[in-house]
Amino acid sequence: MILNYEHLKELEDEAIFVLREVAAQFERKVILFSGGKDSIVLVHLAKKAFWPAKMPFSLMHIDTGHNFEETLVFRDNLSKELGVELIVRLVQDSIDQGKVIEETGINASRNKAQSVTLLDAIDELRIDVAVGGGRRDEEKARAKERFFSHRNEFGQWDPKNQRPELWNIFNGHKNIGEHFRVFPISNWTELDVWQYIKYENVKLPELYYTHRRKIFRRNDVYLAWAPFMQLKPAEKVFEADVRCRTIGDITCTGVTLSKAKSLEEIVSEIAATRVTERGGRYDDKRSEAAMEDRKREGYF
């Protein structure tokens, strides 16, 4: 596939402009880092935006305790390589403190519980802005986001009360206790991200490339298996060649049957697919408005 370098350069310039606006308007800044490809690209963009100076962001990871080990290793190595602060907050601590009641049963997940842990961290550290790798093409709730997404004193998002963004003028004014989420790659598509990764030779966890893994199938979604996950009587664990298109909590991260072991093969695969990126996210299948409900409560 022929890369559209001019298109990628325009997207890069836009994202860098937004990142520089964040640096100019806010004091306490973090990049929400999941170890997924979008947050990795975001860090790469931030590095370019402020080179040769060190980027003015800490990395913040909300650890569910059910993450892929490969993601955690990549996270630690990247923060050390860049020499930036890594802030980790644990969902398990929120559970132990009685702030979150852990789900039980076959479909139990800690994904929704991240919102409480994140909002507590933002309040504790008095964070003004949390920069995320959300994109409008991912899901209909995210399609409603502005670049600068205002959150009230409770960390909540109101999709019907967002500020206009005319001529790339971003209003970062906030009251005490409020904060912003900012999404510099809002206008990128999944294919744009992969083409940019190929063009810039961005390093990723091996999870994104085809590898052998134990999986099982649930409601038409292939899920990676982990020892703490409960299976239904009819569900069987088996090994297959798979890769991740999006990475999060193991309990809800769908995997894709694939033979793509290189960036060229991944780009070709994404260009040909008719299944959306989040079509394999099990947590989005809980209801039609699952993502929007979580975002209203403070989710990424």
Side-chain angles (χ1 to χ4, degrees):
M1 171 174 287
I2 299 175
L3 297 182
N4 186 339
Y5 298 117
E6 184 177 343
H7 172 63
L8 293 179
K9 188 63 169 64
E10 289 175 354
L11 290 173
E12 180 188 72
D13 288 345
E14 179 182 62
I16 286 176
F17 176 80
V18 173
L19 286 165
R20 288 173 176 166
E21 278 293 304
V22 171
Q25 294 194 42
F26 300 98
E27 293 183 14
R28 300 179 180 88
K29 306 171 281 288
V30 297
I31 289 177
L32 297 175
F33 189 78
S34 67
K37 68 182 186 309
D38 297 316
S39 60
I40 292 170
V41 165
L42 199 57
V43 170
H44 181 80
L45 288 164
K47 181 180 175 182
K48 293 190 73 172
F50 301 97
W51 182 264
K54 185 169 70 174
M55 65 180 189
F57 302 97
S58 300
L59 304 185
M60 175 181 283
H61 182 215
I62 305 302
D63 188 345
T64 66
H66 293 163
N67 295 102
F68 291 95
E69 182 63 26
E70 297 95 324
T71 303
L72 301 181
V73 171
F74 188 93
R75 174 200 71 186
D76 294 344
N77 290 340
L78 182 62
S79 62
K80 290 177 182 177
E81 176 187 326
L82 296 175
V84 298
E85 179 186 21
L86 173 63
I87 302 166
V88 179
R89 291 295 182 269
L90 307 176
V91 170
Q92 184 62 53
D93 289 342
S94 299
I95 295 171
D96 294 342
Q97 294 162 10
K99 295 180 178 181
V100 172
I101 298 176
E102 185 165 18
E103 294 181 1
T104 58
I106 295 292
N107 294 309
S109 173
R110 291 184 173 182
N111 201 45
K112 185 177 180 180
Q114 294 178 86
S115 299
V116 174
T117 311
L118 173 60
L119 292 177
D120 282 350
I122 288 173
D123 181 61
E124 172 201 346
L125 300 172
R126 296 181 295 159
I127 290 169
D128 295 319
V129 60
V131 182
R135 308 188 324 269
R136 294 189 180 114
D137 78 315
E138 289 182 87
E139 200 272 343
K140 58 187 177 182
R142 285 186 167 164
K144 300 177 182 179
E145 286 277 19
R146 300 287 196 268
F147 280 102
F148 275 42
S149 179
H150 174 262
R151 303 299 173 105
N152 65 21
E153 65 271 27
F154 302 106
Q156 296 175 332
W157 172 66
D158 182 358
K160 295 182 179 179
N161 185 27
Q162 297 193 75
R163 299 173 181 179
E165 292 180 347
L166 307 174
W167 305 289
N168 286 336
I169 297 175
F170 302 116
N171 180 1
H173 176 75
K174 65 180 185 62
N175 296 315
I176 295 175
E178 299 175 344
H179 73 279
F180 276 80
R181 309 286 173 86
V182 174
F183 304 100
I185 62 172
S186 290
N187 288 334
W188 298 41
T189 66
E190 182 187 11
L191 184 58
D192 291 331
V193 171
W194 278 110
Q195 288 183 322
Y196 186 77
I197 288 169
K198 182 178 183 299
Y199 180 50
E200 291 283 305
N201 195 26
V202 179
K203 294 181 181 179
L204 295 175
E206 290 301 315
L207 292 166
Y208 280 111
Y209 301 92
T210 295
H211 58 285
R212 198 76 175 170
R213 182 175 291 275
K214 291 183 178 180
I215 66 171
F216 65 97
R217 188 169 184 174
R218 175 175 294 172
N219 294 354
D220 297 324
V221 175
Y222 290 107
L223 293 170
W225 177 81
F228 56 81
M229 297 174 72
Q230 297 184 46
L231 298 176
K232 298 178 181 179
E235 293 174 343
K236 303 297 181 184
V237 175
F238 61 97
E239 286 193 355
D241 291 329
V242 298
R243 69 176 195 86
C244 294
R245 286 176 69 184
T246 177
I247 294 176
D249 189 291
I250 292 177
T251 60
C252 59
T253 298
V255 295
T256 301
L257 300 178
S258 175
K259 298 295 183 183
K261 295 185 178 181
S262 68
L263 288 175
E264 291 81 0
E265 291 172 336
I266 291 173
V267 168
S268 296
E269 183 178 88
I270 295 301
T273 189
R274 293 296 176 264
V275 178
T276 64
E277 180 180 7
R278 294 193 69 93
R281 285 293 294 246
Y282 192 72
D283 51 329
D284 288 350
K285 298 183 180 296
R286 294 192 172 199
S287 73
E288 284 293 320
M291 171 63 81
E292 183 158 332
D293 290 342
R294 294 199 303 276
K295 286 181 68 63
R296 286 177 183 271
E297 295 170 1
Y299 187 72
F300 306 135

